[in-house]
Amino acid sequence: MSDRSRTNQLLYQAELLALSSSEEDEHAIARGMAQEEGALALFELALTSLLREVTEHARLTQHEWRYLLSDEGPAMAELQRLRDLAHDQDSWLCWLVMQLDKLHSSDGAAKRRAPHPGMIAVGDQASFREQLITHLNAAKREVAALRETSQEW
């Protein structure tokens, strides 16, 4: 499988996991949290695959996303574009990096939701699942733009 195909596959699988499950039982909350964190982990794998894809011509020996997106990473236009996104507070990549830091911490990224509908919730705040889907879609648009730029070279 090519890096491009793998990136597409991982983004698709992450989106599938992020879609809500309709089954309601005593494990529904834990299952939902597991799905969210699983989707986030797949999103991380998709980021790594994307980085392999856009840097394949450079024949890099290291593809760890933290290194490639750091200021110490290789000087490449595609990577600089992604670094700039990672620093943009409104971007999918900044959101993803923050969530991955949480995912790799002892607290995790998914949070328990109110156990029943009678609980008061903060208005206009998207659920983690909704944010995940929004940022996955933004990532897919960015992947398409990066591929277009890469083909021009």
Side-chain angles (χ1 to χ4, degrees):
M1 179 178 290
S2 71
D3 289 327
R4 181 182 185 136
S5 297
R6 182 65 174 150
T7 301
N8 289 344
Q9 180 186 46
L10 289 165
L11 287 169
Y12 175 68
Q13 289 173 341
E15 192 171 25
L16 286 177
L17 272 179
L19 297 172
S20 70
S21 171
S22 61
E23 189 175 340
E24 291 296 325
D25 59 17
E26 68 272 14
H27 305 291
I29 292 173
R31 184 176 33 259
M33 291 173 66
Q35 287 173 326
E36 290 169 359
E37 290 202 347
L40 189 58
L42 283 172
F43 203 173
E44 180 177 22
L45 290 174
L47 175 60
T48 300
S49 183
L50 171 64
L51 291 169
R52 281 184 189 279
E53 182 182 336
V54 299
T55 61
E56 68 183 340
H57 62 281
R59 301 184 200 275
L60 301 177
T61 57
Q62 185 175 343
H63 292 92
E64 209 279 321
W65 66 265
R66 290 183 193 276
Y67 165 69
L68 293 178
L69 295 180
S70 73
D71 293 333
E72 292 78 38
M76 295 176 60
E78 295 88 349
L79 293 178
Q80 189 56 51
R81 179 175 175 169
L82 290 168
R83 284 183 195 114
D84 292 344
L85 268 179
H87 294 297
D88 176 0
Q89 295 294 315
D90 296 325
S91 76
W92 67 270
L93 189 51
C94 182
W95 180 89
L96 177 60
V97 168
M98 290 188 315
Q99 297 309 315
L100 291 176
D101 286 341
K102 291 178 186 178
L103 179 67
H104 290 280
S105 76
S106 58
D107 290 333
K111 300 292 177 224
R112 289 193 176 274
R113 288 167 292 289
H116 54 79
M119 296 289 288
I120 297 173
V122 177
D124 294 335
Q125 186 175 3
S127 72
F128 182 78
R129 186 177 303 267
E130 292 166 335
Q131 291 175 45
L132 183 56
I133 292 169
T134 297
H135 293 295
L136 275 165
N137 288 326
K140 288 193 291 187
R141 287 188 299 275
E142 187 68 32
V143 165
L146 278 168
R147 285 177 178 158
E148 186 175 310
T149 302
S150 193
Q151 286 176 352
E152 290 172 4
W153 290 102

